[in-house]
Amino acid sequence: AQIGALAQRSLRRVFRQPAQFVFPMVFPMILLLINGDALTSVTKLPGFSAYAPSYRAFWFPNTFVFGAMTMATIMGANMARDIETGYLNRMMLTPTRSVSILLGHLGGAVMMACVICTEYLIIGRLLGVEVATGLTGVLGIYAFQILIAIFFASLGTALALRFETAEAVESIFPLFFALLFLSSGNFPRPLIETAWYRTIATYNPVTYVIEGIRALVNLSWGDESVWRGYLVACALALITVFAAARGARSRF
């Protein structure tokens, strides 16, 4: 009951601040429209057709990762504000358990992730991007979105518990943005000719999440990228949840 109530509070906080929910819902779609049309010449590369039927379908998975990335700054900043305003200190004077505070906070991120995932899928369909794996693929994309939302929200929360200011959390967003563009989000890894770019993309964990979602959108469940992506997403989520839990124990 505590987790559910705090998760609802966490979600309401986001929707009460237009800047927090409009940006992840609108900006990724703008990027999809711009990049999906401006970079169509990439489809002329030999071998590109093995990855997606169009460049828009190829780039579409980036929207889910970008939306999840915003969870780091949104949830981290909200946690930092709870610390700055003394809300967490007041919560600790009630029977609310510290684990409920953390899980409720992350629960808001999960619900927000499901909302934006639904929007992305609907708009993607209107733009001509169809999920090749059908309904099960759509559910698989929701699973990816939830896992990476937990990862980024936990990371932002851990940073908020460490630095205790919203500004410190918000300042790391450019780093996340760089992670997205230094991945295979714009080009298939085997077709990247620049050695240093291909090397960074290979070691960038975001690459494998994008490739997993891309396989569900354009290929099949049997593609190894799907399960590799789930493995990486689960590992990242577990690591950052553990980090956030450690920060919560020291703070609460």
Side-chain angles (χ1 to χ4, degrees), residues 2-251:
Q2 291 176 355
I3 294 172
L6 290 170
Q8 291 178 38
R9 171 187 178 267
S10 179
L11 184 63
R12 285 197 300 270
R13 289 185 71 185
V14 174
F15 282 100
R16 285 172 180 168
Q17 303 176 72
Q20 288 197 347
F21 73 84
V22 171
F23 182 76
M25 296 184 77
V26 174
F27 191 64
M29 296 294 99
I30 294 175
L31 289 178
L32 175 63
L33 286 170
I34 294 174
N35 292 328
D37 291 336
L39 301 176
T40 51
S41 59
V42 176
T43 59
K44 299 177 182 178
L45 292 173
F48 179 88
S49 59
Y51 299 93
S54 67
Y55 190 76
R56 183 173 288 175
F58 178 85
W59 205 90
F60 184 54
N62 290 312
T63 60
F64 299 96
V65 177
F66 190 93
M69 282 181 174
T70 62
M71 295 296 104
T73 52
I74 291 172
M75 294 301 160
N78 286 346
M79 176 62 76
R81 291 190 184 96
D82 280 345
I83 295 172
E84 292 173 332
T85 59
Y87 176 81
L88 284 183
N89 291 333
R90 294 192 295 273
M91 284 290 291
M92 295 313 298
L93 298 176
T94 71
T96 306
R97 299 176 61 188
S98 58
V99 67
S100 299
I101 296 174
L102 178 60
L103 293 180
H105 182 71
L106 297 179
V110 170
M111 290 191 287
M112 180 64 183
C114 290
V115 171
I116 62 176
C117 184
T118 302
E119 183 224 355
Y120 296 164
L121 288 168
I122 292 173
I123 294 180
R125 181 67 181 84
L126 293 175
L127 293 175
V129 179
E130 296 189 20
V131 178
T133 49
L135 179 59
T136 58
V138 169
L139 296 177
I141 292 171
Y142 272 100
F144 264 118
Q145 184 78 93
I146 289 170
L147 286 171
I148 55 179
I150 291 173
F151 161 56
F152 284 110
S154 298
L155 179 58
T157 300
L159 292 172
L161 293 168
R162 173 67 179 84
F163 297 107
E164 301 187 356
T165 63
E167 291 78 9
V169 177
E170 292 168 347
S171 66
I172 65 172
F173 185 75
L175 175 61
F176 295 148
F177 205 70
L179 282 176
L180 178 60
F181 284 94
L182 290 174
S183 68
S184 63
N186 293 321
F187 305 97
R189 266 189 301 154
L191 303 185
I192 299 175
E193 295 184 354
T194 306
W196 66 265
Y197 188 1
R198 186 172 59 251
T199 300
I200 293 175
T202 299
Y203 287 98
N204 184 352
V206 173
T207 287
Y208 301 99
V209 176
I210 291 174
E211 290 177 351
I213 300 174
R214 183 179 294 139
L216 289 179
V217 173
N218 300 306
L219 302 176
S220 69
W221 277 99
D223 193 278
E224 65 177 10
S225 298
V226 175
W227 309 109
R228 187 167 52 204
Y230 276 125
L231 181 63
V232 171
C234 287
L236 292 174
L238 287 174
I239 291 170
T240 51
V241 167
F242 178 74
R246 287 193 62 182
R249 281 199 297 269
S250 63
R251 182 64 180 75

